[in-house]
Amino acid sequence: MAFDSVRSHKFRSVLTVLGIVIGVMTAITIASILTGLRQNIISIIEEYGTNNIYAFHLSTGPRTNVDRSERLRKPLTVADAEAIRTQASAVDDIAWVAPNVGYGGGPFDDNISYQGHNYRWGNTSGVTPSYGNIANVTVREGRFINEMDDQQRANVVVIGVNAADALFPGQNTNIAGTQVRMGGYNFEIIGVLEKRKAGFFGENEEDNAVFIPFRTAQKIAPARGWLMMIIRGRSGQLNEALTQSEDILRRRRGVKFGDPDNFDIKTADKFIQQFDSITAMVGLIAIAISSLGLLVGGIGVMNIMLVSVTERTKEIGVRKALGARRKDIVRQFLFEAMTLTFLGGILGVVLSIGISRIITLLVPNLPASIPLWAVITGLTVSIGVGLIFGVWPARKASRLDPIECLRYE
């Protein structure tokens, strides 16, 4: 009976549940994009290593605010890294990185040039030889930086795929061994990195990477002085490695008992938690937008059900005269309202799937994955809206006097 009522007023029913459709569609579409991004973050972390710990004197990872007092913090040092290597029993290996050697205003210009081709987007970093093993780096051609390169402060460089494509367009091999110019120095390309599978919008920060030996970075940009550590814990001892490394850094940096750390140290899971805290705010905004649509849709459903009660007054009187109880009338109109909003929810789900597919086609590198929980929640909420906003019309219909209903024209 509920489906017959909807089918007999198709256009009116569609207009009635339009707010429900928009609300469910918005919530599921945003949830699909955020879920896709989260899956990408997890994939990236798994590629770089799930047993790694990251330490830096400034806060790292996604965040919504910046603490200006952080600028006064002293950078970590090589001595700090060596102390962790020798004193932390749960630490398997450690690499340290001099990030962003070609920082703005610094003495080293990390623009790479070769036979009229330039690459200006490289984020040049000085790394120790252990970085390749700890970060699971794969070299497509040539080799990675070794201990001799670092000890001799050699002018050698390992570049990412974007740098290789910019400097050697159309050339996929025989890049290693080429001499390029960077920052007024001649550098030999000793390796080209393999493109990682995971990344945001098809890009990974390693695609733009330019790696030089750590000691070479200290030689050409001594004023920078920033150092980031990548600490690999022993198998099954990640938390112990984190605790030991944190304790060592607190002691060496003179942090008093009870005071917060004046450095940032976290496992890969913390990056996911930071991302989740940011996406939670986006989710709240999506819920607010969806709630407005659902509210408008609910009011529309209540209005159309009140109109339906008026239109079917005589039918209600006949049913009551034939023995229908008040709860039967209530159940009938509630089912109709819930059926109406449920169909609106289904339409919203179908449209959200279509929009996610269109987004993926138009922007192939934008991840979108519709989670099952979002679909179930959308349909459940749509039914709940019909239940809530259908109560008043249903109760009004059940309270009609059968005699007056039969007289109604």
Side-chain angles (χ1 to χ4, degrees):
M1 187 179 293
F3 283 103
D4 291 337
S5 177
V6 173
R7 196 161 39 239
S8 61
H9 302 91
K10 298 183 183 67
F11 187 65
R12 186 175 75 176
S13 299
V14 171
L15 293 179
T16 300
V17 298
L18 192 57
I20 304 253
V21 172
I22 294 174
V24 172
M25 179 185 67
T26 302
I28 295 180
T29 301
I30 293 177
S32 70
I33 294 174
L34 294 180
T35 301
L37 290 173
R38 190 177 192 276
Q39 290 173 351
N40 268 23
I41 282 186
I42 293 174
S43 299
I44 292 172
I45 288 173
E46 288 176 347
E47 276 200 283
Y48 277 87
T50 56
N51 227 33
N52 290 345
I53 301 166
Y54 301 86
F56 195 52
H57 71 287
L58 303 177
S59 297
T60 56
R63 50 184 173 158
T64 55
N65 58 344
V66 179
D67 186 357
R68 294 186 177 181
S69 64
E70 289 185 8
R71 298 176 183 175
L72 302 177
R73 292 179 180 177
K74 296 184 300 182
L76 301 176
T77 65
V78 174
D80 294 331
E82 292 288 1
I84 292 175
R85 186 206 292 271
T86 56
Q87 299 175 28
S89 59
V91 170
D92 180 45
D93 200 359
I94 182 171
W96 47 93
V97 180
N100 195 16
V101 174
Y103 62 98
F108 182 71
D109 179 8
D110 59 355
N111 172 42
I112 307 177
S113 60
Y114 174 75
Q115 294 185 356
H117 298 289
N118 292 279
Y119 186 68
R120 302 177 180 276
W121 309 107
N123 183 13
T124 304
S125 300
V127 298
T128 54
S130 55
Y131 177 88
N133 183 38
I134 292 177
N136 296 325
V137 170
T138 302
V139 179
R140 185 182 76 190
E141 179 188 348
R143 63 175 178 83
F144 196 70
I145 295 165
N146 60 29
E147 194 66 40
M148 185 174 295
D149 296 328
D150 193 43
Q151 291 293 335
Q152 295 181 352
R153 295 173 172 81
N155 285 2
V156 294
V157 59
V158 177
I159 59 176
V161 291
N162 288 348
D165 292 342
L167 296 172
F168 307 92
Q171 182 178 338
N172 295 321
T173 58
N174 300 322
I175 296 175
T178 305
Q179 295 284 333
V180 295
R181 191 77 175 168
M182 180 170 63
Y185 298 88
N186 290 324
F187 278 82
E188 179 188 354
I189 298 177
I190 59 172
V192 179
L193 301 177
E194 184 72 63
K195 184 176 179 63
R196 290 188 185 265
K197 296 178 181 178
F200 280 117
F201 312 115
E203 290 287 329
N204 189 291
E205 65 174 6
E206 205 171 87
D207 296 342
N208 297 313
V210 176
F211 291 136
I212 61 177
F214 179 80
R215 293 172 186 263
T216 303
Q218 288 185 312
K219 177 183 71 174
I220 61 180
R224 183 56 164 171
W226 285 10
L227 182 142
M228 182 178 72
M229 302 178 195
I230 305 178
I231 306 161
R232 184 173 64 192
R234 297 186 185 278
S235 179
Q237 301 183 48
L238 181 62
N239 291 330
E240 291 87 343
L242 175 65
T243 301
Q244 292 174 5
S245 301
E246 185 177 11
D247 289 343
I248 291 170
L249 290 178
R250 285 179 65 88
R251 283 199 311 270
R252 293 186 57 84
R253 293 171 67 86
V255 180
K256 297 179 181 179
F257 179 80
D259 289 348
D261 294 340
N262 60 2
F263 56 92
D264 184 68
I265 184 168
K266 59 170 66 79
T267 60
D269 290 342
K270 293 296 182 180
F271 289 107
I272 299 176
Q273 293 177 12
Q274 284 181 303
F275 179 80
D276 287 343
S277 66
I278 293 175
T279 55
M281 291 187 291
V282 178
L284 288 175
I285 296 173
I287 290 172
I289 297 172
S290 301
S291 299
L292 290 176
L294 294 172
L295 178 62
V296 172
I299 293 173
V301 168
M302 183 170 62
N303 179 60
I304 206 66
M305 292 307 297
L306 289 172
V307 172
S308 181
V309 170
T310 303
E311 291 176 344
R312 298 159 64 184
T313 300
K314 202 162 190 175
E315 175 194 327
I316 296 170
V318 172
R319 290 201 65 197
K320 283 197 168 186
L322 293 175
R325 297 164 296 179
R326 290 181 62 178
K327 66 179 182 180
D328 296 325
I329 304 297
V330 170
R331 189 180 295 118
Q332 174 191 347
F333 279 89
L334 278 180
F335 282 167
E336 287 187 17
M338 292 164 64
T339 300
L340 193 61
T341 54
F342 174 68
L343 293 175
I346 291 179
L347 184 56
V349 170
V350 172
L351 288 176
S352 66
I353 293 173
I355 290 174
S356 298
R357 296 282 176 85
I358 292 172
I359 290 174
T360 303
L361 290 174
L362 295 178
V363 190
N365 295 324
L366 178 62
S369 176
I370 296 180
L372 181 60
W373 64 263
V375 174
I376 295 174
T377 301
L379 294 177
T380 303
V381 170
S382 64
I383 294 173
V385 169
L387 176 64
I388 294 171
F389 286 89
V391 169
W392 184 20
R395 288 176 62 85
K396 182 179 179 181
S398 69
R399 291 176 178 176
L400 291 177
D401 187 336
I403 303 299
E404 295 297 328
C405 291
L406 292 173
R407 289 177 179 174
Y408 183 80
E409 292 294 338

